[in-house]
Amino acid sequence: MQRLSMIIGIIFFTSQLFGQFGLNGGYNFNDANNWKITNGDNVNDVIHDFYGNGLSFGLDYWFRLPNHRVEFTPEINYQSNQSNYFYDPLNFDLNSTMISLFANTNFYIFDFKGDCNCPTFSKRGPELQKGFFVRISPGISYFNNKLDSEGAYVHNQAFTFNIGAGAGIDFGVSDLLTITPVAMLRHYPAIDWKDISTIDVGIKEWDYPKDETTLTQIYLGLRIGMRFDYQ
């Protein structure tokens, strides 16, 4: 938490100096393929998913290339999800949080040589042409997972790299305010949750979680961009 507070403080101080920042929030649809209890006869029959869906919130800082519309919004992001599973005599409670740094890079492919260094609202041309972008977003994430039950307590912390891609479109409300819906697909190639594989409710026909998994994530969200520096 001290590291998170320091990073947020730096970003906030920078945004006060230059006034070009954004807030975003959205919902994540998660698929951690190895953190599940499945029916051994049919792996598509999921008895319980230990890493469910959840909300996320982010803070970013905006800047761009001077002569082409390649724009950058490096972001600190917080995600959380919880799930519960009861199978007599065990009751599993999962609490998972993720803190990430995303290097968002937006390419305005229909307006690559944009007319000015200004918000979308001030740009000339159709909304789709001036506002649509595709995004590439490498990142690094810190996981803090806790699984508690009457028979076991499994706590794990881990760092992992990830890569995301998606698209969005800017809608200018004014010279100072832009609203941007965004859709992203993000992949985490390897996340280790030590000892989650010890989870077992005693049914031999079921397949239980493994310590390491990949995570595929679909994100649907909304960004509010503010540029107090614009004249």
Side-chain angles (χ1 to χ4, degrees):
M1 291 304 296
Q2 290 180 343
R3 293 179 182 177
L4 175 60
S5 299
M6 181 178 67
I7 294 172
I8 292 176
I10 293 173
I11 294 177
F12 179 77
F13 176 73
T14 304
S15 68
Q16 292 301 302
L17 288 178
F18 298 100
Q20 307 177 49
F21 62 97
L23 301 172
N24 67 73
Y27 196 75
N28 299 283
F29 300 89
N30 299 311
D31 183 16
N33 63 326
N34 285 338
W35 289 347
K36 303 174 182 179
I37 296 177
T38 60
N39 188 328
D41 296 330
N42 181 5
V43 295
N44 294 319
D45 182 10
V46 178
I47 309 298
H48 182 66
D49 190 342
F50 283 101
Y51 198 82
N53 305 324
L55 296 170
S56 66
F57 303 92
L59 172 67
D60 65 55
Y61 173 70
W62 177 96
F63 62 98
R64 59 163 287 176
L65 295 181
N67 299 317
H68 296 86
R69 288 203 69 197
V70 179
E71 303 187 0
F72 308 94
T73 55
E75 173 189 347
I76 182 168
N77 185 277
Y78 174 83
Q79 301 181 38
S80 175
N81 70 69
Q82 298 179 341
S83 66
N84 178 271
Y85 174 65
F86 177 77
Y87 189 88
D88 191 24
L90 298 180
N91 185 21
F92 297 102
D93 290 302
L94 169 72
N95 188 327
S96 177
T97 57
M98 186 197 322
I99 299 172
S100 303
L101 293 175
F102 297 143
N104 302 322
T105 304
N106 302 334
F107 299 87
Y108 289 78
I109 57 177
F110 299 132
D111 189 36
F112 192 61
K113 294 185 178 181
D115 53 293
C116 61
N117 183 22
C118 54
T120 298
F121 182 82
S122 297
K123 292 186 174 297
R124 298 184 297 271
E127 195 75 41
L128 177 62
Q129 176 183 334
K130 62 183 179 178
F132 179 80
F133 62 85
V134 295
R135 171 178 289 180
I136 302 297
S137 177
I140 183 171
S141 299
Y142 165 75
F143 282 81
N144 185 19
N145 297 328
K146 299 178 181 179
L147 182 65
D148 193 9
S149 75
E150 297 177 8
Y153 176 76
V154 181
H155 179 210
N156 186 64
Q157 298 172 321
F159 284 91
T160 183
F161 291 97
N162 55 79
I163 183 69
I169 184 168
D170 297 328
F171 293 98
V173 178
S174 70
D175 286 344
L176 307 181
L177 182 65
T178 301
I179 296 177
T180 306
V182 178
M184 294 282 297
L185 176 66
R186 188 171 296 276
H187 181 68
Y188 301 76
I191 310 171
D192 182 63
W193 189 346
K194 185 178 180 181
D195 294 333
I196 193 176
S197 58
T198 61
I199 297 299
D200 189 337
V201 297
I203 299 179
K204 296 181 180 179
E205 291 78 13
W206 287 359
D207 290 332
Y208 294 98
K210 299 178 177 61
D211 286 346
E212 186 175 289
T213 189
T214 61
L215 172 61
T216 301
Q217 184 178 81
I218 296 174
Y219 168 81
L220 300 176
L222 191 70
R223 177 183 185 269
I224 299 175
M226 293 160 282
R227 293 197 58 192
F228 297 128
D229 67 323
Y230 182 67
Q231 303 295 328

